[in-house]
Amino acid sequence: MRIPFIAGNWKMHKTVREAVETATALKTVVAAVEIVDIVLCPPFTALGDVGRAIAGSNLELGAQDMHWEPQGAYTGEISGPMLWELGCTYVILGHSERRHHFHETDDEVARKVQAAFAQELLPILCVGETLEERDAGRTEDVIERQVRAAVAELDAVALPRLVVAYEPVWAIGTGRSATGGEANRVSALIRQWLGQAVGGPSADETRVLYGGSVTPENIAEFIGQPEIDGALVGGASLNSEAFAAIVLAAAGGP
Ligand code: 13P
């Protein structure tokens, strides 16, 4: 069984104080939730304090990116061991904002995925097509390429621990989400490509999330799909009440 997974990507939002306040408020509201993996991904600057604020709770900590080298002369970068030290369990990799604003390539994303596993950090690998690619009928080609490249060096043992987020770029921060059916279809393909690329049935255990304008109002449409195991939430995760409502919906109520 794949355990539902809800992650909040706070992107470049919140001071340390604001981040701790939101995490602390959230912790109380979702304290009784048992069967959902709930992950907060604050900015690097707030990881340590948010980690302390949620210690002992059912919330887990994730980072938004990392470098593939464990250390070195890479001014401004953050490595896997540094995230591990701060208590991170997960790390978002290959987010479209990193691919587009910072020109991250499939090859770099693949190196980061391997480096994360080497550090016992679990990647939340993001894939998704732009509006232009979608309009050109290239959605499947683009996502297949992104998926296969990212897992090319992984073995079947890693797949159940990998989380993939299907985030159509045109749905991110636009208020225009994909339909549940569309996201379900792509999620099934992602699992199929993972299985083909790595071999064996272990992709059946890989959690595939939907991301892109997820809200308390539309989460049911995604979580109700057989191939979708949860959501990677941006804007709505900044507000503890909205994010808690999404978590509670994933838990099956209220
Ligand atoms: P929004 O939920 O704000 O559309 O962001 C989605 C996202 O990019 C999560 O990683």
Side-chain angles (χ1 to χ4, degrees):
M1 196 193 95
R2 299 190 298 260
I3 296 170
F5 191 106
I6 302 289
N9 175 8
W10 289 354
K11 306 189 180 183
M12 198 173 70
H13 294 287
K14 295 189 187 290
T15 62
V16 173
R17 187 178 55 77
E18 291 164 347
V20 168
E21 275 172 16
T22 306
T24 305
L26 181 71
K27 181 172 79 168
T28 311
V29 192
V30 301
V33 174
E34 286 175 3
I35 42 121
V36 181
D37 281 334
I38 313 165
V39 182
L40 291 182
C41 303
F44 289 129
T45 48
L47 281 172
D49 286 85
V50 169
R52 278 185 285 280
I54 64 176
S57 77
N58 57 347
L59 301 179
E60 293 175 286
L61 194 64
Q64 298 175 17
D65 186 30
M66 60 174 259
H67 196 271
W68 56 83
E69 291 292 345
Q71 60 187 28
Y74 298 99
T75 301
E77 291 291 315
I78 308 276
S79 74
M82 295 169 184
L83 300 179
W84 173 254
E85 183 185 29
L86 292 179
C88 289
T89 306
Y90 294 93
V91 57
I92 297 171
L93 295 175
H95 193 280
S96 64
E97 287 152 17
R98 301 242 26 116
R99 293 180 191 260
H100 297 125
H101 298 307
F102 304 102
H103 312 293
E104 245 179 59
T105 64
D106 285 339
D107 179 55
E108 288 168 344
V109 174
R111 292 165 81 173
K112 292 181 178 192
V113 167
Q114 289 165 56
F117 275 119
Q119 187 56 43
E120 294 182 27
L121 292 165
L122 304 181
I124 303 172
L125 167 69
C126 299
V127 297
E129 82 286 3
T130 63
L131 187 58
E132 196 184 14
E133 289 162 344
R134 174 180 148 97
D135 288 346
R138 294 180 48 224
T139 297
E140 292 178 19
D141 289 350
V142 168
I143 298 169
E144 180 173 4
R145 190 203 73 224
Q146 291 173 340
V147 167
R148 286 183 183 272
V151 302
E153 301 295 328
L154 293 188
D155 57 28
V157 179
L159 271 200
R161 312 186 74 210
L162 176 72
V163 179
V164 179
Y166 169 49
E167 299 206 309
V169 179
W170 47 269
I172 295 177
T174 59
R176 180 186 163 206
S177 59
T179 64
E182 209 174 334
N184 188 63
R185 187 183 71 82
V186 176
S187 299
L189 287 170
I190 288 172
R191 216 172 258 116
Q192 181 187 313
W193 293 319
L194 285 171
Q196 289 169 357
V198 177
S202 57
D204 293 347
E205 294 173 55
T206 306
R207 270 130 1 135
V208 180
L209 318 178
Y210 168 74
S213 297
V214 171
T215 63
E217 290 71 38
N218 66 18
I219 181 65
E221 178 175 353
F222 299 105
I223 205 76
Q225 303 289 337
E227 297 288 344
I228 299 177
D229 305 307
L232 181 54
V233 186
S237 74
L238 295 171
N239 176 290
S240 61
E241 285 173 22
F243 192 55
I246 291 171
V247 170
L248 294 173

